[in-house]
Amino acid sequence: MSARDPGPVRLEGETDWKNAFSYHAFDVEVARAEGVFIHDTKGRAYIDASGGPMAVNLGHGDARVVDAIKRQLDAFAYVHPTLANRPRADLCDAIASVTPEGFNASYLVSGGSEAVETALKIARQYHVATGAPGKHKIISFRESYHGMTLATMALSGNPGTATIFDPMLPKWPKTQQYSEFRRPSHLSPEEWAADCADELERLVHYEGPSTIAAFIATPHGCGSEYGVVAPAAYWRRVREICTAYDILFIADEVVSGFGRTGAWFAMEHFGVTPDIITMAKGIASCYAPLGAVSVSDRVNKPFEEGTGFIHGFTYGGHPLACAAGVAVINAIKEDRLVEGARRKSERLFAQRERLLAHETVADVRGWGLFMVLELVEDKASRAYFGPNRQAETLFQSIALSNGLALYSTLYGSRRAGVARRGLPMWISPPLTITEDEIDTLLDRLDRTIGEWERALGVGA
Ligand code: PLP
């Protein structure tokens, strides 16, 4: 028995979270979830408007997934990947059925950060195995987000965390992303896209092409440009540069994969094929912790020919997570949710102008069932409220009082100085949402923004 005082016995239904490390939660305790609705212990229902952290692509409580996990649990819950486990093979097949042509091998992990870490190690080992051992740096976007492990934080470049963790992180080079907001008025989006992509080539030149292993990017922008869809010309030029300098192009599709943008993977919209795709979130729609890295046949070749991949996690390819993943992918196919996301997108974005009419909504952008609002204090400069206003927390709690559960972020008020741009607010409900439910979501969102502005004294 521990010498620690166990404290008062907790009554059933009473939770005070005091034993949870660094836990932040709103005062809503979840009892159950079904479809797009989350129900709390007090009988209130909330629309899961961001799909958790842009992750619940299939709605909650889908019997096909629940049954698949139960069936697997009845057979066996776990074996180490050194023993053959059918759900793992089935999941790799299911992934190959939806990834681009020439992507036939996947490595399974438990989430997005692990997927990105795995991709970095695959890239490094690929170059060592193919006779380019000097290639070790990974280029990413300034202000991007690829996870919370140390290596993924080294890619991420979030100014809020840099000062704390910087001494522990590799100093990999960063480039600028495509930004509509910073586009000079005399340039067309395509001309500006070419300029932004050429910046990558200049960086490669100064760093030395023989030192660069990979370039990683999210297809949907990041940080203050979250949800910005760059012209296809941008990604085509990036692809050319990566090919020219033998740099592996990693598309981080942890958020955008599995139908979110109206395609299985967002890079499809641009007609551009990366070398490595990282995925998580929607792959099992949070029914179980799951992530994967899919590689092109070219990247797989040295490993297929015998290069041992120095990697592995106890939970990689966990049978319960794999059973969930297979069932989710099958359900997305069966219910035609990818096509549905394209169709329902029109309903979602039809009310763009209504949202933009608010003084604090500087932009409404995105694609598929992935809409990002940029919330600001001042539309012209796109500056966000200072930290003392607690505007982000206020938005979340007003949204909850209106029956909307929204994902909160690390951006906005925590960014300082030149990076002090608007706060991205994600509207990314489960792809199973109906068109009527989209209208209800938007009504509640509109009301939330209005109440938030009044609480902050905007326009008063
Ligand atoms: N990559 C991207 C683009 C993400 O948005 C995230 C998480 O939000 C991650 C990686 C990390 O995923 P996880 O939180 O599952 O570790």
Side-chain angles (χ1 to χ4, degrees), residues 293-308:
V293 183
S294 196
V295 298
S296 69
D297 294 344
R298 177 169 76 94
V299 173
N300 190 37
K301 196 162 179 279
F303 299 96
E304 212 176 13
E305 289 172 350
T307 297

Side-chain angles (χ1 to χ4, degrees), residues 25-89:
F26 285 90
D27 191 24
V28 166
E29 188 172 338
V30 177
R32 64 191 176 84
E34 208 179 332
V36 298
F37 288 99
I38 296 169
H39 301 265
D40 74 9
T41 47
K42 295 183 179 137
R44 293 206 49 177
Y46 309 86
I47 296 179
D48 193 359
S50 312
M54 302 156 281
V56 180
N57 288 17
L58 188 69
H60 295 277
D62 192 298
R64 292 164 293 187
V65 188
V66 176
D67 289 346
I69 298 171
K70 282 184 185 162
R71 273 197 308 277
Q72 184 54 43
L73 192 53
D74 283 339
F76 61 94
Y78 178 76
V79 290
H80 187 263
T82 47
L83 297 175
N85 124 31
R86 175 55 53 190
R88 192 166 163 226

Side-chain angles (χ1 to χ4, degrees), residues 111-114 116 145-147 218 220 226 252 254-255 280-281 407:
S113 302
E114 277 186 16
V116 174
Y145 183 78
H146 296 284
T218 50
H220 46 68
Y226 215 106
D252 185 351
V254 162
V255 166
K281 299 194 189 250
Y407 174 55

